Amino acid sequence: LLRQVPATRERRHRSLEAVVAWSLDQLSPSARRLFALFSVFAGDVGIEGVESVLDHLGFDGRDALDDLSELQAASLLTGAGGSRFRMLEPIRQLAATELAADDRVADARRAHATWISDKLVAANNGGPERAHLFEQLDPEADHVRAAMENIAREGLTELVADMAIPAGWWFITRDPNRGVELFEDILRVCDRDADPLTWAYAVAGWGTTSASHPVTPRLEEANRALEVLEANDRPEVGLARVIAAFSFVQAGDRDRPMELLAEAEELIRTGVDDDPWECAILDMAFVAFNSLSVTMHFDPPHDLDEMLVRGDRAAQTFRELDDRWALGLTLGELGRIRQHLGDLAGAEACMLE
């Protein structure tokens, strides 16, 4: 009986292959092309994602809806709620075989990763809509992870500089464990000597993802990445200093974080953009490091009343930007400082909010 199970599965697989092959023969050329390309989508996807991947491959994404409807009518796709579609895994495996037969796997993965990179960058540059735009990426969580996997698998390092830090911010609030693993894979394919700038951004992305995660810090790499970003006059160098400071805190270094934050303050506060979110992140970092000092029974490096002012300022900015993760972290650190100062009512108010 047990020997019959694999044979039965094989017959079912051959039967599915035959049904799919027949269905493909009935499709228009563009719908059949989309069938193969759909194998790069991990989980369900909306029309916008399909259109973007087609556009990045040089096809007209405006025809996607007709082709999706044709595939759904042929039972090769199913609806996944709203304007989203899903391909069942057995069919997706057959679509992947067809894509590989046309030698288009690498191009399709690059187009998919570029779509996700574009969305991460747009969210990170969204100004007042930043938190909302990052939340809009949540339905594409499987695709964010798959894009990172494809960057490492296919060596798509040309995407790293743009998307590393935005991806780090997305992962730290949602899936830091997996984010750290994915950035470590990407760092393995980044050549530190041949392309130091791309490597530096990968380090910054890793540092962002791991800022609140108990991992072994990359201290030498963090210092070197900062040097590379500064030498190339990159606009993220101030924020990268804030990120690197967390690595040194995790290593038990009390002096280097303060140096990095002082340098970051000069860069961010005097920057051309003077981005409110970056300024609030800087304030939050100062508050966090002073809070950690009092928690560990060290003398805080700054005046705690000043830290309360900075923390309240950061919290107000995060409320206005609806950045709930950063707001929650800031209020937690403020609560610890207020408790240390004997303001129990203020500490309780922070914790309750």
Side-chain angles (χ1 to χ4, degrees):
L1 180 60
L2 291 176
R3 285 195 297 270
Q4 293 176 355
V5 173
T8 300
R9 289 176 178 167
E10 186 176 346
R11 284 196 298 271
R12 287 176 179 169
H13 186 71
R14 287 200 301 267
S15 176
L16 178 62
E17 281 185 325
V19 171
V20 170
W22 182 87
S23 297
L24 291 178
D25 288 339
Q26 317 306 311
L27 296 176
S28 64
S30 60
R32 181 159 187 165
R33 179 180 62 224
L34 181 56
F35 169 79
L37 292 174
F38 209 93
S39 64
V40 301
F41 293 110
D44 59 81
V45 64
I47 295 174
E48 178 265 339
V50 177
E51 290 176 341
S52 179
V53 169
L54 286 171
D55 287 339
H56 284 303
L57 285 168
F59 302 114
D60 191 345
R62 292 174 297 181
D63 296 333
L65 182 57
D66 290 340
D67 291 334
L68 288 167
S69 299
E70 190 175 345
L71 291 172
Q72 191 172 19
S75 299
L76 297 171
L77 288 181
T78 60
S83 58
R84 298 181 71 83
F85 298 85
R86 176 186 294 274
M87 183 174 281
L88 297 177
E89 188 57 30
I91 298 177
R92 185 168 173 256
Q93 292 174 7
L94 296 175
T97 300
E98 176 138 327
L99 186 67
D102 289 343
D103 198 25
R104 289 181 290 169
V105 175
D107 289 342
R109 287 174 175 170
R110 176 178 284 103
H112 176 273
T114 303
W115 161 53
I116 291 298
S117 175
D118 290 346
K119 289 186 74 67
L120 285 166
V121 171
N124 199 52
N125 295 336
E129 297 297 314
R130 184 179 185 278
H132 177 63
L133 291 171
F134 269 116
E135 287 180 357
Q136 287 184 343
L137 264 167
D138 289 347
E140 316 300 351
D142 289 337
H143 298 297
V144 175
R145 298 183 188 95
M148 298 281 284
E149 291 169 0
N150 287 332
I151 288 172
R153 182 187 294 118
E154 301 293 338
L156 305 177
T157 55
E158 69 273 14
L159 300 176
V160 171
D162 287 336
M163 55 75 65
I165 293 178
W169 288 118
W170 187 88
F171 274 106
I172 194 176
T173 59
R174 289 152 175 93
D175 191 1
N177 290 343
R178 184 61 181 141
V180 167
E181 294 172 352
L182 290 167
F183 270 110
E184 287 175 348
D185 290 340
I186 289 173
L187 277 166
R188 292 188 187 98
V189 300
C190 291
D191 192 322
R192 176 173 177 169
D193 297 322
D195 189 356
L197 186 57
T198 294
W199 171 84
Y201 273 107
V203 172
W206 182 93
T208 307
T209 307
S210 63
S212 62
H213 191 65
V215 296
T216 302
R218 297 171 175 264
L219 303 185
E220 185 274 331
E221 291 168 305
N223 276 326
R224 177 59 185 150
L226 289 174
E227 292 172 1
V228 172
L229 292 172
E230 189 164 16
N232 285 272
D233 197 26
R234 305 307 297 175
E236 300 90 350
V237 68
L239 187 59
R241 275 172 161 70
V242 178
I243 295 166
F246 283 94
S247 292
F248 285 90
V249 167
Q250 289 180 12
D253 188 328
R254 296 183 59 216
D255 297 325
R256 181 63 173 144
M258 292 301 109
E259 293 175 3
L260 289 168
L261 288 180
E263 294 167 1
E265 176 129 61
E266 183 176 355
L267 289 164
I268 291 175
R269 298 276 184 210
T270 60
V272 175
D273 296 330
D274 195 25
D275 182 270
W277 181 82
E278 286 195 12
C279 291
I281 288 289
L282 177 67
D283 281 334
M284 180 186 74
F286 269 101
V287 172
F289 294 138
N290 282 270
S291 169
L292 180 64
S293 294
V294 299
T295 301
M296 298 178 68
H297 306 291
F298 294 131
D299 291 333
H302 298 93
D303 179 73
L304 292 183
D305 287 331
E306 178 193 346
M307 293 302 103
L308 293 179
V309 172
R310 297 186 75 145
D312 287 337
R313 181 171 62 194
Q316 183 57 35
T317 298
F318 293 137
R319 289 188 192 97
E320 293 170 357
L321 298 177
D322 196 27
D323 191 330
R324 287 168 287 181
W325 172 80
L327 175 61
L329 185 59
T330 303
L331 290 172
E333 303 300 344
L334 275 174
R336 277 184 275 276
I337 291 179
R338 291 188 187 281
Q339 187 174 32
H340 175 77
L341 293 174
D343 181 6
L344 300 184
E348 184 178 4
C350 287
M351 299 306 176
L352 289 175
E353 185 180 352

